[in-house]
Amino acid sequence: MIPETGKVSVVHSSQCRMPTRHGCFEMHVFTECESGREHVALVLGDLAAEATPLCRVHSECLTGEVLGSLRCDCGSQLDEALSRIAAAGAGVLVYLRQEGRGIGLTEKIRAYALQDEGLDTVEANQKLGFEADLRSYRPAADILRWLGAGPVRLMTNNPAKLSALKADGIAIHRREAIIADPNAHNQSYLDTKRDRMGHLFEPSKES
């Protein structure tokens, strides 16, 4: 299903073979029409040939994925998603460039400083004048359509992401939980995602 606007939010920019420690993927870059942000899809195998390919829609987290921060579970989730796709032999990871739930790196670090003073992640964003989550999943929906992915098994704990992709016309065969081991630095963060944002830290369920 194409959204009622009929407008595509991204255009395909480039692609190449991308060998990784998880296997050799096909990397596609998409440019967002309105913002100019560049998003990435890592594809393994033939998505069109898969009845229900594994799929992860993942938002950028420089601190967790590049610097190894223990304040979140982003780096662990990214690694786990790629491992599961590799084990399945086919699937896609869509990597959206929307740092800090859409507020950007500078504001995310300001939010971290507020969390050090005792606020949780939702309260910190709100004190800075933002909603708890400003991310858009429309680019991911358009990327998945461009790639020809059929009904997907979506690796996520976030019900808002699940609902947004469905609203943008992506068929979800099943949600699959993707849970990282907690640590002393991120336990409060994970509790807030569960208790205040409704994240589903439980076994997978049929959609």
Side-chain angles (χ1 to χ4, degrees), residues 19-171:
T20 77
R21 68 177 180 272
H22 298 286
C24 191
F25 291 77
E26 188 74 14
M27 178 172 169
H28 298 263
V29 178
F30 296 82
T31 303
E32 195 170 341
C33 299
E34 192 168 309
S35 68
R37 286 183 294 187
E38 294 172 312
H39 307 296
V40 170
L42 288 175
V43 179
L44 185 66
D46 183 358
L47 295 183
E50 293 292 318
T52 57
L54 268 178
C55 173
R56 168 71 177 166
V57 174
H58 188 94
S59 296
E60 177 182 30
C61 176
L62 181 141
T63 51
E65 297 154 9
V66 178
L67 303 180
S69 169
L70 297 177
R71 299 186 70 133
C72 64
D73 56 346
C74 303
S76 297
Q77 285 188 324
L78 179 63
D79 198 56
E80 173 69 12
L82 289 171
S83 293
R84 282 159 67 170
I85 290 169
V92 55
L93 184 136
V94 178
Y95 189 86
L96 298 177
R97 304 292 302 279
Q98 44 187 4
E99 180 80 44
R101 295 204 195 104
I103 67 176
L105 183 59
T106 294
E107 297 299 335
K108 171 182 167 178
I109 298 308
R110 288 176 176 162
Y112 277 173
L114 290 172
Q115 290 170 45
D116 289 340
E117 296 175 5
L119 300 185
D120 67 30
T121 182
V122 171
E123 293 165 343
N125 276 27
Q126 291 173 337
K127 185 163 185 177
L128 291 171
F130 301 107
E131 296 178 15
D133 195 337
L134 292 174
R135 289 175 293 182
S136 169
Y137 297 105
R138 173 70 190 284
D142 283 338
I143 288 169
L144 290 172
R145 266 189 289 273
W146 191 95
L147 292 170
V152 298
R153 289 177 287 143
L154 184 69
M155 293 181 281
T156 187
N157 307 325
N158 185 352
K161 182 189 300 181
L162 189 71
S163 297
L165 289 170
K166 285 182 176 180
D168 274 322
I170 299 303

